Amino acid sequence: MVTTRLYYMDNLRALAMLTGVFFHAALAYSPKLQALWPAANTEQSLLLDWFSWFSHLFRMPLFFLIAGFFVAYLVARRGVVGMLKNRALRILLPFIIFLPLCMVATFIPLLTATNEVENKSAIMLMILEAMQNPDAPRPPPTTMHLWFLYNLIYFCVLVWLLRIVNWQWASNFLARLTPGLFLLIIPLVLLPGALLIASPKPAPESFIPQLWSFGFFGLFFVLGYWIFTQENFIARFNVYAFRILLASTALFALYYYHLPVQMDLMAPPLALWKKLLLAVCEVYIALWMTLVCLIYARQFLDSHHRWMRLIADSSYWIYIIHLPIIFALQYPLMDKNWGVWAEYGLTLAATFAVGMASYLLLVRWTPIGWMLNGRR
């Protein structure tokens, strides 16, 4: 059992969350998402698009692996029931409280911008058309960007339900794999889940549990749970870090080249060979880059620092509130012509400023902070 604080896991979890702010702010300038993103801007950036989709392939897999690791830590310290109580307070309760608030804070500015913005996005035009048609179907309920909390609730409950099964054979199999075989074989275990959904992976925002999410993100959660039981597992891959980083970058170039020029819900399905190619690239990049992040975080982030601790503590809150802030900032920018990088930088700076200020003033020393991070 881990008996000392693993600062690199805390810090890496925070960075994985905050990367979501960079990702969502970049989507307004993605050439591929013009038909699907509410704040899609007429100004676009290929470089920003590369960053956003590359990080998209491993950001959430990394988060779910770390989540599984900490769930195993809680089970070891408090038992399964204690873990469920803790996760109910840290995950279920914030989801119940903040989802309705985030929905209101997101949809009211969207409806306002739909009427006021001149350079309307495709989503805004679709909303205008639906508003003029009283018989138009209503959008389905969504968990928005808090879908990761919704999925984690299921994964934690499954830990409780599956505890009676003897998984020692699977643990022994994984433990006997050499690092090279692990890097080659384990991504293929993720492939069935990846093939159940189109590339790139959409957020499983539906309240109906998505099977592909269990077969993809759920397996990263299981892997993190298992890594907790393995001493020096990450250190075994140190010599591979730079090589798999380069290999992941090369695979991403192939992946991005074969993505549709523009994503559209009404577009015909991809050819089978292209869907398989994209899925193979996804699973290898997801696992390899997750390991790269773990290796380098263990080397460079495994220390206590006051400012890094503040970032780690505030990351959960900032992630919860960031999307409504980003949208509210980017809607007026749709009619400006300030340049991609100026607008993107302004969005990031303002989002983090509001997020950190609200955390320090309203959250850190209040019951909200106790709910999200525990009492100090």
Side-chain angles (χ1 to χ4, degrees):
M1 183 191 301
V2 175
T3 56
T4 58
R5 182 135 196 164
L6 298 179
Y7 291 109
Y8 77 95
M9 281 291 195
D10 279 334
N11 296 334
L12 190 56
R13 176 172 55 182
L15 293 178
M17 277 194 176
L18 295 180
T19 303
V21 181
F22 290 85
F23 171 71
H24 286 131
L27 294 183
Y29 308 99
S30 169
K32 295 187 179 300
L33 219 62
Q34 290 294 298
L36 299 177
W37 195 246
N41 200 297
T42 54
E43 298 182 277
Q44 300 165 19
S45 167
L46 184 61
L47 180 60
L48 211 51
D49 208 38
W50 268 61
F51 156 75
S52 59
W53 294 116
F54 184 54
S55 66
H56 180 68
L57 292 178
F58 63 89
R59 177 178 61 88
M60 293 312 296
L62 172 63
F63 174 82
F64 279 106
L65 184 143
I66 296 173
F69 183 93
F70 280 115
V71 165
Y73 175 75
L74 285 171
V75 171
R77 293 197 62 184
R78 305 184 184 185
V80 175
V81 174
M83 178 274 293
L84 289 175
K85 290 180 180 178
N86 179 276
R87 298 296 86 179
L89 177 62
R90 301 281 184 270
I91 297 174
L92 179 58
L93 190 57
F95 177 78
I96 293 172
I97 292 174
F98 291 114
L99 179 61
L101 298 177
C102 286
M103 292 179 73
V104 171
T106 300
F107 290 123
I108 290 180
L110 174 57
L111 293 177
T112 302
T114 297
N115 291 316
E116 297 179 355
V117 170
E118 293 183 8
N119 296 314
K120 293 178 173 56
S121 65
I123 292 294
M124 289 180 175
L125 293 175
M126 186 174 66
I127 291 174
L128 273 180
E129 183 179 349
M131 291 170 64
Q132 296 168 1
N133 180 10
D135 297 325
R138 294 180 177 272
T142 174
T143 58
M144 296 185 59
H145 63 298
L146 301 186
W147 64 265
F148 77 101
L149 296 179
Y150 188 67
N151 277 253
L152 271 180
I153 295 165
Y154 282 104
F155 297 163
C156 291
V157 172
L158 284 176
V159 169
W160 171 63
L161 292 176
L162 297 176
R163 73 192 191 284
I164 60 173
V165 179
N166 184 1
W167 298 102
Q168 191 60 44
W169 62 271
S171 178
N172 292 339
F173 172 77
L174 291 174
R176 284 196 297 265
L177 290 176
T178 64
L181 283 176
F182 188 96
L183 292 171
L184 290 175
I185 294 175
I186 299 306
L188 298 178
V189 180
L190 302 165
L191 192 56
L195 287 171
L196 291 175
I197 195 72
S199 300
K201 297 281 170 285
E205 298 177 352
S206 172
F207 277 94
I208 301 173
Q210 303 294 293
L211 180 60
W212 74 264
S213 177
F214 284 71
F216 188 73
F217 295 123
L219 292 181
F220 276 97
F221 179 89
V222 170
L223 182 59
Y225 194 100
W226 175 78
I227 287 176
F228 175 80
T229 68
Q230 305 300 305
E231 186 176 0
N232 295 324
F233 172 82
I234 298 172
R236 297 170 58 196
F237 295 87
N238 286 350
V239 297
Y240 293 89
F242 188 67
R243 279 176 280 178
I244 59 178
L245 173 59
L246 291 179
S248 298
T249 306
L251 275 181
F252 177 72
L254 178 65
Y255 173 84
Y256 189 88
Y257 177 79
H258 286 286
L259 280 178
V261 175
Q262 192 170 99
M263 298 168 197
D264 191 335
L265 295 178
M266 305 304 294
L270 295 175
L272 182 60
W273 70 268
K274 185 174 288 190
K275 181 177 181 179
L276 180 60
L277 174 65
L278 292 175
V280 169
C281 291
E282 279 184 327
V283 296
Y284 277 96
I285 294 171
L287 184 69
W288 288 356
M289 284 304 301
T290 294
L291 289 173
V292 167
C293 292
L294 290 169
I295 292 165
Y296 287 131
R298 189 168 178 264
Q299 293 178 10
F300 301 111
L301 296 178
D302 196 21
S303 61
H304 175 70
H305 190 280
R306 182 176 61 178
W307 293 109
M308 195 63 212
R309 186 63 198 168
L310 177 61
I311 292 173
D313 287 345
S314 63
S315 62
Y316 193 1
W317 168 254
I318 292 175
Y319 188 84
I320 287 174
I321 68 169
H322 83 280
L323 197 57
I325 298 173
I326 286 175
F327 281 139
L329 291 167
Q330 288 187 333
Y331 291 143
L333 294 176
M334 295 170 69
D335 289 333
K336 307 298 181 182
N337 191 24
W338 295 349
V340 170
W341 294 103
E343 294 178 6
Y344 182 64
L346 174 63
T347 300
L348 290 177
T351 301
F352 281 116
V354 172
M356 184 59 73
S358 60
Y359 174 74
L360 293 174
L361 295 174
L362 305 174
V363 176
R364 186 170 176 82
W365 306 109
T366 70
I368 301 174
W370 302 339
M371 175 180 62
L372 298 179
N373 297 320
R375 288 180 178 270
R376 302 188 172 279

